[in-house]
Amino acid sequence: MSRRNTAAKTEIGTYNRAAIASSATVIGHYSTSFGLATRLLESRVRSQVRTIYALVRIADEIVDGAASQAGLSIDEQRAMLDGLERETTEAILRGFSTNLVVHAFAATARETGIDAGLTAPFFASMRRDLDPAPFDAAGVAEYIYGSAEVIGLMCLRCFIQDTPRTPADLVKLETGARSLGAAFQKVNFLRDLAADRDDLGRNYFPGVSLLTMTDEEKNAILDDMDADLSAAERVLPLIPAGSRRAVTAAHDLFARLSAKLRATPARELMSARVRVPDPEKIMIALGASFGPKAWKR
């Protein structure tokens, strides 16, 4: 190999590492829960999942406050989101972007087979957040698929990239990944009721008045979430060992959040965001790693 080729490989390697580091910085600033779970992943998968989170987070910031607080209009936010989608699509094809977060995600996409079949629904859901029209049931289901279920499918591509699966097992894994993503999103809908209504003017629960939500209505929503969590839990044994503990920890954390939401009166959800204290998060992560059934994981 010539010195020029060696130098070129060194330069792209440095650029790739800088891009991955930028993704780790994003998750470090935005998520203690997801960040904690990713630490349980094997090194390669951990880096890949962080690149997915970072791209998703940046897109979310365009539609959920940061861009607006910077003075951008709805039309300008939409244009920025469209530009980010174009840049992501092109980077997956080319293998390079001047945006470090996009570059890191594109590398993961090329390695694991993530394509526009997953990224397009995601960006469509982000675009829907810029539309003030109220949601109906079908619209919420479509939104949850694009904003959360496809993220589960992207992460699944990382988990199983080196472990070929039978078509039957792949269907089960994809169903579990979608269920877990949907559960995460629904839990966060309930946790963010006040901010969604007061700051963003959104209601992701058509037919339910956020001002007068009853405990019965809240618990019916939680029953649906818990069904998703149960469906995801049944698939955990099929996930490769290098990723299973992390997914188990994330599942258990949101199961705990669901339980805390169930114990919180509906009227209080409009004034306080339910959370799991950091020490309890650590115990959940330890339980996923070293609990009674950890040997099976």
Side-chain angles (χ1 to χ4, degrees):
M1 182 180 295
S2 69
R3 287 186 178 180
R4 183 175 180 179
N5 288 339
T6 300
K9 286 184 177 295
T10 300
E11 289 167 3
I12 191 62
T14 300
Y15 193 81
N16 289 341
R17 288 190 293 275
I20 291 170
S22 73
S23 297
T25 297
V26 172
I27 196 171
H29 279 280
Y30 278 97
S31 178
T32 57
S33 300
F34 197 73
L36 178 62
T38 61
R39 292 178 192 177
L40 300 178
L41 293 166
E42 61 182 341
S43 177
R44 178 188 181 195
V45 176
R46 183 190 312 126
S47 294
Q48 291 172 332
V49 169
R50 285 173 174 172
T51 70
I52 294 170
Y53 178 91
L55 179 71
V56 168
R57 183 77 258 173
I58 296 303
D60 195 58
E61 287 302 309
I62 293 175
V63 303
D64 267 4
S68 176
Q69 291 170 15
L72 275 66
S73 68
I74 293 295
D75 287 342
E76 289 171 325
Q77 291 171 52
R78 187 177 292 110
M80 288 201 71
L81 189 65
D82 291 346
L84 181 62
E85 181 176 15
R86 285 194 300 272
E87 188 170 8
T88 300
T89 301
E90 291 171 0
I92 293 172
L93 293 173
R94 295 173 177 170
F96 186 84
S97 173
T98 56
N99 180 321
L100 287 175
V101 167
V102 172
H103 180 84
F105 175 84
T108 291
R110 289 163 67 92
E111 290 168 358
T112 63
I114 295 170
D115 57 20
L118 294 179
T119 59
F122 167 72
F123 281 103
S125 284
M126 294 299 96
R127 214 169 278 115
R128 179 63 176 85
D129 272 334
L130 298 175
D131 183 348
F135 281 97
D136 57 20
V140 170
E142 183 178 9
Y143 178 85
I144 290 173
Y145 174 74
S147 65
E149 294 179 29
V150 297
I151 309 306
L153 293 172
M154 289 181 194
C155 291
L156 178 64
R157 296 283 180 92
C158 301
F159 300 157
I160 65 172
Q161 60 190 307
D162 297 321
T163 55
R165 299 288 171 165
T166 66
D169 279 350
L170 187 58
V171 168
K172 292 177 184 176
L173 283 162
E174 289 180 345
T175 299
R178 291 182 59 180
S179 295
L180 193 58
F184 289 177
Q185 185 66 289
K186 293 170 188 175
V187 166
N188 283 331
F189 283 164
L190 267 184
R191 296 175 73 205
D192 296 333
L193 280 180
D196 284 339
R197 188 199 70 178
D198 298 337
D199 300 337
L200 301 172
R202 299 174 192 158
N203 179 4
Y204 296 106
F205 301 111
V208 176
S209 171
L210 301 186
L211 288 173
T212 60
M213 176 187 285
T214 65
D215 287 334
E216 289 74 17
E217 289 173 324
K218 179 204 68 173
N219 289 334
I221 294 167
L222 286 166
D223 289 343
D224 181 52
M225 293 178 194
D226 288 344
D228 284 329
L229 287 169
S230 294
E233 185 176 24
R234 290 193 291 271
V235 180
L236 290 176
L238 295 177
I239 297 174
S243 301
R244 198 179 308 144
R245 290 177 174 82
V247 180
T248 300
H251 171 278
D252 293 353
L253 172 61
F254 275 80
R256 179 61 183 143
L257 281 168
S258 179
K260 290 176 75 71
L261 286 164
R262 197 176 290 275
T264 303
R267 65 181 180 275
E268 293 183 15
L269 295 179
M270 293 307 301
S271 59
R273 190 174 195 264
V274 172
R275 64 183 300 273
V276 175
D278 288 345
E280 191 172 351
K281 290 177 184 177
I282 293 171
M283 293 304 297
I284 289 171
L286 290 173
S289 298
F290 306 110
K293 297 181 181 179
W295 64 273
K296 294 183 179 180
R297 300 169 185 160

